[in-house]
Each structure stands twice: as structure tokens, then as C-alpha cells.
Amino acid sequence: MNNYLKVKDIKNLKEVVKEAIDLKDNPIKFKNLGKNKTLMLLFFNPSLRTRLSTQKAAINLGMDVVVMNFSKDSWALEFEDGTIMNGTKSEHIKEAAKVIAQYCDIIAVRAFASLTDKEKDEADIVIQSFKKYAGIPVVNMESATSHPLQALADAITIEEQKKVNKPKVVLSWAPHPKALPHAVANSFVEIMQLQNANFVITHPEGYELDKKITKNTTIEYNQKEAFENADFVYVKNWSSHTDYGKVLNVDTNWTITKDKMNLTNNAKFMHCLPVRRNVVVADEVIDSKNSIVIEQANNRTYAAQIVLKKILDNY
Ligand code: AN0
Ligand code: CP
């Protein structure tokens, strides 16, 4: 693997998931692989899981890790070509990426969608610019359009927990007071399209995800019908894609409750976290034995570790 920017950078999902599960049994098996190699983690947005699990994954591989809170501690970067830089941006990505690449072997970047400029967000300008100018492997820790490390952890979790060969997996929208990006949902859709699953998306009208991503995936606008016979209920809020970045409704009828989970085939509850209790999901669901959110977060380490291992193998 050269870069991990999107789910499609995984060549053989089944094999990668299996390798990640094997790593979990012996996380320090490849402790020498990353010796004298440095991973640089750059954050333009907050994080708990991604930061700590990616750091832990690198440590398991024997790498050194440097973390930088880019939005607070560094110069504001310009990403446009040919701009007259007489505004608030102090440094161009062309220099910044090349300079950073001299200090490390792999760069990982978190840069959320603006949710104001659809075109720029869909071009994934921050992560793509790092890829273009750094000249070393780049890993996506959630970009404007995707969160492939989360999706890989989700695929690992479903593989570990499934009771039938082809489970029914439902991605459900749920309400949230703030406008959230589409990245987590996009990457989950992409990875479910590769997985042996009966996959259904449910959301209120107006919350359709990018059709270039959902393609011919089934969309069921009736959440209760979607939940019938589900083996996994994966919950996420996202803002409107059509009316880009807007919160169209915060309809609490879409909150995940015990009554709704009772319609499923004793489904496992999944969420990437952080989650707003009693807005997105009722306490009684997230606190139930069917909630696997903590295990899901645990698998972030092994998802990151298998990705870093594949990049190091290729170095
Ligand atoms: C972010 C999002 O929805 O993309 C990060 C999730 C991993 N969530 C929030 O901003 C609450
Ligand atoms: N799920 C996830 O990416 O969490 P953080 O935003 O805390 O990293």
C-alpha cells in the first residue's frame, strides 16, 4: 500500500480484515518493522480515538510518533494555487508539505469538511494537497469526504461479531444539533459495498448521501421498516448533502430507542463515537449488552496498525 486515502486503497478487504484480527492476538509481532521510522500526525480538528489509536498502532509497530495540532500551533495554510498571499494565510501547502516530509516517513492528516464549499470539500483539497506535495505516504484520519480508518475498524468489528455469513446491516441517520460531515457515512457505505452483507441505508428525505457513493444501495425512508431483521444497526448523523451542510431537521422520531431495536434481529448497536446520548441514541440502547461501540473503538488500533504495516512493508 502506498497511501490510505480511501476505502478503495484496500486491495482485498477480506484478507486485510483477517490480518487485522490476527494482529489483535499479537499486537507487537511486528515491533521491529517500524524501527527508526517516524509517523507524523497532523490535526486540523479535534480527536480522541483517531489520535490515540493511530499513535498506539504506530507504537505497536515500533515507530516513533510526532503529533501536531495544526489548527492551533502552526501557520495557517494556503491551498489555492497562484493566490496573492496578503490575507490571513501565512504559508503555502507546497512548502509546508515538503518540509514536513523531510522530518518523517509517513504523514497522517485529519481535516474535516468545511460544509460550506461543496466543490472544495469534494475535491478533498487538504489531504490531496498533502499527497501531491509531500512525496511520502499519506494516511487519511478523516478528510472532507472520507474516514477510511473508521470504516476498516467497522468492517473488522462486523466480521468479529456476525453470527450469519451475510448479515443485514442498516446505516441509520439520527438527529444531531450540529451540522456534521458525510465522511463517516461515506466510508461506511463504501466498505459495506465490498462486504458480504445485506446493506440498507435509512434516513429522512433530504438527507440522501452523494449518489456517486451510494450507487445502487437500497435506501428505505421508513426507519422502522429498515430495522426489521437487522443484525447490525450502525448509527450516524450527517448534514444534508443536497442542501449542502444544512441541518434540515432534528426530528427526535429518528433517535435510536429500545422500541426500535426490538424490531431487529437482536441487532448490535454501532456508532463511531463521539455520540450525543439521548439525542442520537437513548441511554438504554448504548448501555445495553447489544452495544458494541467500545469494541468498535478498540478496533481502531488494529485498523490503523494493519494500514501502517502495509505501508511499511512497501517502503
Ligand atoms: C465528526 C464527524 O461526524 O465527522 C467526527 C466523527 C468521527 N463528529 C463530530 O464532529 C461530532
Ligand atoms: N471515531 C473517531 O474518529 O473519533 P475521534 O473523532 O475521537 O477521533
Side-chain angles (χ1 to χ4, degrees), residues 199-217:
F199 181 52
V200 178
I201 307 173
T202 184
H203 56 69
E205 286 192 36
Y207 279 103
E208 289 74 14
L209 291 162
D210 187 348
K211 279 200 173 57
K212 290 194 286 301
I213 291 170
T214 54
K215 298 189 178 111
N216 56 1
T217 301

Side-chain angles (χ1 to χ4, degrees), residues 2-45:
N2 293 323
N3 298 283
Y4 188 54
L5 301 185
K6 287 202 167 284
V7 164
K8 73 165 169 45
D9 292 326
I10 301 172
K11 290 290 166 282
N12 184 336
L13 178 63
K14 212 178 150 105
E15 211 173 278
V16 170
V17 166
K18 190 189 171 296
E19 285 177 77
I21 293 171
D22 288 347
L23 271 181
K24 208 169 163 176
D25 285 336
N26 187 1
I28 54 165
K29 189 170 171 192
F30 301 102
K31 188 81 188 175
N32 290 322
L33 186 65
K35 200 167 175 239
N36 298 326
K37 292 269 194 296
T38 302
L39 172 67
M40 189 79 74
L41 304 181
L42 306 179
F43 286 91
F44 290 83
N45 308 95

Side-chain angles (χ1 to χ4, degrees), residues 113 115 176 178-183 236-240 245 247 271 274 280:
L115 295 179
H176 195 284
K178 280 174 60 184
L180 295 191
H182 310 94
K236 181 71 185 83
N237 169 270
W238 59 86
S239 54
S240 175
V247 176
H271 190 287
V280 171

